[in-house]
């Protein structure tokens, strides 16, 4: 029995013109979203994260339950545009804005942006940008967390942690990646599509197609 993912059949509406046919609206939308998330990053790291550090003093790895906040734009950007590089582009814009506005990590957030987005890019590339369902969003959030923590944070921010604490740190990060970056971004896409603002993108087309199918299934007198 073949347990490998089927990447030959599309699951979900694909990007117009194929995954590599970038449009101006794709870049502009990701840039605008990236700037908005950058401001959110700055506000979160300035006003919220210090409180998180206070409340997790007894068990510092629990602070990594907030990691998903920084992973969310990469997953959301990939789900909206559905092209290779979308996650990297939006995450780099957001991290750049955060660094410009000021934070405790400085320009190091750009390293994190590359690693976080890299996990998302790998997840969607596994399916050749042809599967766009909740499970892929969840996988993308999880891999973004693993990439950031295992390749970077373990050796920089928490290098002094014991193996047990590092494992707990990773677990908390993955949970956050799955719930906040994966599931929450998926729900956000559904809500945005319902407002009509994503009609120029695959997610919006999916909603219109679903509505048309429902309409066709309704018996008419």
């Amino acid at each position: 029995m073949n347990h490998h993912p089927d990447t030959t059949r599309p699951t979900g509406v694909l990007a117009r013109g194929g995954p590599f046919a970038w449009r101006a609206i794709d870049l502009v939308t990701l840039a605008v979203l990236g700037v908005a998330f950058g401001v959110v990053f700055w506000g979160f790291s300035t006003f919220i994260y210090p409180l998180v550090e206070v409340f997790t003093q007894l068990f510092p790895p629990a602070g990594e339950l907030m990691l998903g906040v920084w992973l969310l734009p990469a997953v959301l950007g990939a789900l909206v545009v559905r092209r290779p590089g979308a996650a990297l582009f939006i995450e780099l814009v957001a991290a750049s804005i955060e660094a410009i506005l000021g934070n405790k990590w400085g320009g190091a957030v750009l390293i994190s942006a590359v690693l976080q987005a890299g996990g998302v890019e790998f997840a969607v590339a596994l399916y050749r940008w042809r599967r766009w369902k909740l499970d892929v969003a969840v996988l993308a959030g999880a891999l973004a967390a693993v990439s950031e923590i295992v390749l970077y944070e373990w050796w920089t921010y928490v290098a002094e942690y014991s193996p047990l604490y590092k494992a707990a740190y990773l677990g908390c990060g993955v949970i956050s990646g799955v719930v906040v970056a994966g599931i929450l971004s998926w729900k956000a896409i559904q809500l945005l599509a319902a407002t009509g603002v994503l009609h120029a993108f695959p997610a919006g087309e999916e909603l219109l197609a679903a509505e048309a199918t429902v309409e066709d299934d309704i018996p008419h007198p």
Side-chain angles (χ1 to χ4, degrees):
M1 182 179 295
N2 183 11
H3 295 284
H4 296 289
D6 182 1
T7 61
T8 60
R9 292 188 304 166
T11 307
V13 174
L14 306 184
R16 294 181 185 180
F20 297 94
W22 279 83
R23 305 170 300 169
I25 191 173
D26 298 327
L27 294 170
V28 171
T29 300
L30 289 175
V32 171
L33 288 173
V35 171
F37 272 110
V39 175
V40 171
F41 285 177
W42 169 80
F44 192 86
S45 61
T46 301
F47 302 108
I48 305 300
Y49 199 74
L51 297 177
V52 172
E53 292 179 315
V54 170
F55 286 110
T56 58
Q57 285 182 349
L58 294 178
F59 188 62
E64 199 67 350
L65 289 170
M66 298 295 104
L67 177 63
V69 173
W70 283 275
L71 309 179
L72 195 152
V75 179
L76 187 139
L79 293 174
V80 169
V81 173
R82 303 188 179 183
R83 303 185 190 277
L88 181 61
F89 183 85
I90 189 174
E91 197 73 30
L92 280 174
V93 171
S96 298
I97 295 300
E98 181 187 10
I100 290 171
L101 293 176
N103 61 59
K104 63 181 289 185
W105 303 285
V109 293
L110 295 176
I111 298 174
S112 292
V114 172
L115 293 172
Q116 293 163 7
V120 176
E121 297 286 358
F122 182 75
V124 296
L126 282 175
Y127 294 92
R128 297 166 55 193
W129 306 280
R130 297 173 68 82
R131 180 174 179 82
W132 300 100
K133 296 298 181 183
L134 177 59
D135 59 333
V136 177
V138 167
L139 177 64
L143 292 184
V146 171
S147 177
E148 164 71 3
I149 295 170
V150 174
L151 299 180
Y152 186 54
E153 292 190 10
W154 266 0
W155 317 107
T156 53
Y157 303 139
V158 296
E160 76 284 0
Y161 277 12
S162 67
L164 183 60
Y165 256 38
K166 283 187 175 181
Y169 189 88
L170 176 62
C172 290
V174 170
I175 290 172
S176 186
V178 166
V179 175
V180 179
I183 297 175
L184 185 59
S185 66
W186 175 262
K187 294 297 183 182
I189 291 293
Q190 310 309 306
L191 293 174
L192 287 172
T195 67
V197 299
L198 296 181
H199 281 179
F201 298 94
E205 295 177 20
E206 279 181 353
L207 180 63
L208 291 176
E211 291 175 345
T213 301
V214 171
E215 179 66 23
D216 290 342
D217 290 340
I218 296 176
H220 298 281

